[in-house]
Amino acid sequence: MQKLFQALTEPGFIPLRNRLVMSAMSRSFADADRCPTEEMVRYYERRAQGGAGLILTEGTIIHSTGDGWVNAPYIAEDRHARAWRPVIDAVHAADGAIACQLWHMGRISHEDFTGGPPVSATARAAAGHNRQNDKPFGTPRALDAAEMPQIYAQFVTAAQRALDAGFDAVELHMGHGYLPDQFLDGQVNDRTDQYGGSVENRCRFALELVEAVTKAVPGRQVMARISPSRFMGGLYEWPDLDEMIGHLTPALSELGLGGIDVSCANSDYFATAGRMVRKIRPLYTGVIVSGASLTPEQAEAELQSGMVDAITWGRAFIANPDLAERIRTGADLVPFDDSMRATLI
């Protein structure tokens, strides 16, 4: 595992002690004020003490109008940022790095959370049932073009607040069907203005968002999670996939974005994200992180290939707080069981 445990020292990204990344995973354990709890401090601390090079926090809501998840933490106000400080300090004391994932759920929500119609690229409700409140997803309101700067400002303020609190970086959640992905995805985006239709127009929201954030905070401290290919009851991919990646990726490089997190969630890596990183790598000069379902041996091979710079694991970090140390020593891994979602260990 020579490469996996090599420090990451790319000049356009934050330094990491190794290439093992804990993926962002929503856990629903924030308190009633949507602040981190002592239990959450210990949860993240244990992963840092167990050797994780970088921890991506669970999705953290940037504004109440972007909420849609029971007991998700916020970073919408200064008090939320202050409440994250014990988490940050605990991770740093264990020599780890931590990035705050900034989350706006868009139409994957309901007015029970947002207090009014959720906002989106479209006025069409998401298909399916919302497990967060046991109701159908709410009917969204399509954002007017004049409102886009207001949304970008919410992300910018959240990024500044996070970095001021001591986070090493922020990650813009632009995947998995949430707000930025609702613009990128031609199966969702039915707009006829400058934010819909062509590949260039569908990428406009994401690129303007990244531009706004990287003008406000150092680009080396900003990542973006995208999920162009994933399983959702079958293989689900952006329409015009190659054209989308061909337009979006070089533009993200030009904006100075520090890292791209190519996510496939609980999918076969080689059928989804692994294919995507092979399209993205030649077009992007920053750090690429991906993985999720790889064995340690597969992870090492991907690093050696140069396709990715660091490897994410999700459920394996829930089951193994000391995942990095177990991999380093060759110890057996505890298999993930769905019952583990019920507690923070």
Side-chain angles (χ1 to χ4, degrees), residues 52-70:
L54 173 64
I55 292 173
L56 302 174
T57 71
E58 59 208 276
T60 304
I61 302 295
I62 63 169
H63 191 272
S64 60
T65 56
D67 196 1
W69 199 275
V70 172

Side-chain angles (χ1 to χ4, degrees), residues 209-221:
L209 169 60
V210 171
E211 182 177 21
V213 174
T214 54
K215 280 184 175 178
V217 302
R220 64 188 293 274
Q221 292 179 278

Side-chain angles (χ1 to χ4, degrees), residues 144-278:
D144 186 87
E147 296 180 275
M148 304 307 180
Q150 178 181 337
I151 302 296
Y152 307 152
Q154 292 172 2
F155 276 95
V156 166
T157 302
Q160 293 171 322
R161 192 175 279 128
L163 295 180
D164 286 347
F167 279 105
D168 299 283
V170 295
E171 178 173 84
L172 310 176
H173 198 337
M174 303 201 316
H176 296 190
Y178 299 117
L179 182 63
D181 197 37
Q182 291 160 29
F183 284 85
L184 292 166
D185 187 349
Q187 297 173 84
V188 175
N189 186 339
D190 56 1
R191 302 176 73 93
T192 57
D193 65 0
Q194 67 267 41
Y195 291 93
S198 69
V199 165
E200 292 79 6
N201 284 355
R202 280 185 275 131
C203 291
R204 191 181 307 278
F205 179 94
L207 291 175
E208 289 182 349
L209 169 60
V210 171
E211 182 177 21
V213 174
T214 54
K215 280 184 175 178
V217 302
R220 64 188 293 274
Q221 292 179 278
V222 184
M223 303 173 64
R225 172 186 270 195
I226 60 171
S227 55
S229 178
R230 58 194 187 271
F231 282 112
M232 292 175 57
L235 186 64
Y236 186 95
E237 296 184 343
W238 291 342
D240 307 314
L241 181 64
D242 287 341
E243 293 84 355
M244 289 288 289
I245 289 175
H247 179 74
L248 181 68
T249 307
L252 292 174
S253 276
E254 291 172 10
L255 291 170
L257 180 74
I260 295 178
D261 176 1
V262 185
S263 179
C264 59
N266 191 27
S267 300
D268 180 272
Y269 170 81
F270 295 103
T272 54
R275 290 173 43 241
M276 297 303 103
V277 299
R278 283 156 175 79

